[in-house]
Amino acid sequence: GAGDYYLVPRQTGKETLIEPYPYVVAGKELQITSVAVPIMIGGQFVGVVGVDIALSSLQENIGKIRIFDTGYASLLSNQAIYVGDRDKTNIGKSLAQESELATVRTAIQAGQRHELITHDDRLGEVTRLYVPVKAGATPMPWSFVATIPTSEMLAEVHRLRFWALSLARCWRKTCAARCCCRAVTGAC
């Protein structure tokens, strides 16, 4: 909330990465985060030093990531707010409030990896991999999310299975022909 850049480092005595928030610069609304570090002298809090960071370049870079042919990446803050995504309209919005996603939020806030098989409106069945990302010494990790269409992820497995079955079939036919030849002629 308002004043977190000062209040959180003062209360925790730790470096803090503030949740993204909208901020108007030159008449244009941007998503911003702040990094704030407490200044301690003799173990006593005396102030905060910080920097505001516009998230637009981060969004641009995350939005360009492609995983396999159509998979994509996202970046979520500690409170599950979109910082980067292929769909710019998600930026600044919270992760959906669906009950299955409560586990995802808990994993993000705890800095734990998480995997979820779910449905994506554009890609169908997908696997989402949530991987914690720490910035500096802040105790509040964010999460890098890889959304991978199940069909693309398993395509190579299906291709290898096809080849293995084909080779097994050929081997069986070859072996059967050899066995039959040995039985008739005594040699192949």
Side-chain angles (χ1 to χ4, degrees):
D4 280 354
Y5 69 92
Y6 179 83
L7 297 173
V8 174
R10 185 176 109 189
Q11 292 167 351
T12 65
K14 296 180 180 178
E15 183 176 324
T16 303
L17 181 61
I18 303 300
E19 284 295 303
Y21 56 93
Y23 192 80
V24 178
V25 177
K28 183 178 177 186
E29 186 176 283
L30 301 174
Q31 286 293 313
I32 303 279
T33 189
S34 299
V35 178
V37 180
I39 300 170
M40 309 293 274
I41 297 178
Q44 295 294 316
F45 175 84
V46 295
V48 170
V49 65
V51 62
D52 295 332
I53 303 167
L55 297 171
S56 53
S57 64
L58 190 56
Q59 154 54 27
E60 187 177 315
N61 289 329
I62 293 288
K64 290 178 183 175
I65 296 173
R66 293 293 169 260
I67 302 167
F68 292 112
D69 292 329
T70 60
Y72 60 94
S74 304
L75 183 64
L76 299 172
S77 72
N78 184 261
Q79 297 298 313
I81 294 172
Y82 281 98
V83 177
D85 190 65
R86 70 170 177 189
D87 184 353
K88 290 181 182 182
T89 63
N90 285 336
I91 306 308
K93 293 181 182 174
S94 182
L95 194 60
Q97 298 291 329
E98 299 172 31
S99 60
E100 70 180 28
L101 297 176
T103 307
V104 171
R105 279 194 186 86
T106 301
I108 292 171
Q109 292 168 0
Q112 298 172 340
R113 293 177 57 125
H114 187 71
E115 182 177 326
L116 175 69
I117 297 173
T118 189
H119 179 81
D120 183 275
D121 291 338
R122 295 181 190 170
L123 304 176
E125 184 179 288
V126 296
T127 298
R128 287 206 172 103
L129 303 172
Y130 297 81
V131 180
V133 175
K134 288 195 85 167
T138 180
M140 298 168 56
W142 287 9
S143 186
F144 178 84
V145 185
T147 299
I148 309 161
T150 303
S151 61
E152 290 179 25
M153 189 167 53
L154 296 177
E156 187 65 17
V157 172
H158 292 306
R159 189 181 74 76
L160 289 172
R161 185 183 72 189
F162 169 79
W163 281 106
L165 291 173
S166 297
L167 290 172
R169 192 177 204 182
C170 289
W171 182 81
R172 230 179 318 168
K173 285 182 180 179
T174 303
C175 181
R178 283 187 189 151
C179 291
C180 203
C181 180
R182 280 190 195 120
V184 173
T185 65
C188 280

